[in-house]
Amino acid sequence: MTGTADSLVWISGATTGLGSGLARTCPYQNARIINLSRSSHPDLENVRFDLADPGTWDAVRESFARELSGFRGTRAIFVHNAFASGTAGFAGEVDAGAYYRDVIGNAAAPLVLADWFIRAVGAGYESGLVLMSSAAARMPFEGRSVYCAAKSAAEQWVRVVRRERARRGAGPWVEIG
């Protein structure tokens, strides 16, 4: 659905898994849902990008800017759900290139994309940002050092930015999912 939707929702990784479930159960009737992913969703609008390839991230920034520049609806929401599945293994032992891609995709991408969304939203409508986390933020899982650290970082980022938004008295609301 384009143009007349009252709610605009971006979901990273809405092609499969939890992201697909979030898209199917969106609580906003007739929401326009945009999938941000390497893979296209057959029933949603799609913005193609790769978490682990910063050269592709501008497509997401441009989508936020384009869609929100004249937005006149009730709400705009970004749910960052995707993660770079990467290589499991002990730090210092797994392929260095794969480890680097995991750091970029799981630690850097969520914070950069979330910041771009905050910069793009305007006044006059509800705006919200959700960064999905997991138990890995609080429990060490051997072989998943990047994933655990990235989820911890995302949770701390949300706590800090939530305080900043409250101090400024400005949206969007920011939550961990």
Side-chain angles (χ1 to χ4, degrees), residues 36-131:
L36 307 172
S37 180
R38 285 178 297 151
S39 305
S40 294
H41 188 288
D43 302 320
L44 299 175
E45 293 179 56
N46 296 282
V47 173
R48 302 277 309 250
F49 90 111
D50 183 342
L51 285 170
D53 181 0
T56 67
W57 296 357
D58 276 343
V60 176
R61 184 180 49 79
E62 291 165 4
S63 179
F64 292 155
R66 179 181 57 253
E67 300 301 336
L68 293 172
S69 67
F71 185 65
R72 301 288 180 255
T74 301
R75 72 186 53 82
I77 310 291
F78 171 37
V79 179
H80 180 67
N81 163 73
F83 70 99
S85 58
T87 304
F90 286 22
E93 297 177 12
V94 298
D95 177 77
Y99 197 84
Y100 172 81
R101 286 181 54 83
D102 284 358
V103 169
I104 296 301
N106 289 314
L111 308 186
V112 171
L113 299 178
D115 180 71
W116 285 345
F117 179 77
I118 290 171
R119 292 172 187 275
V121 297
Y125 54 87
E126 174 191 4
S127 57
L129 171 62
V130 178
L131 296 184

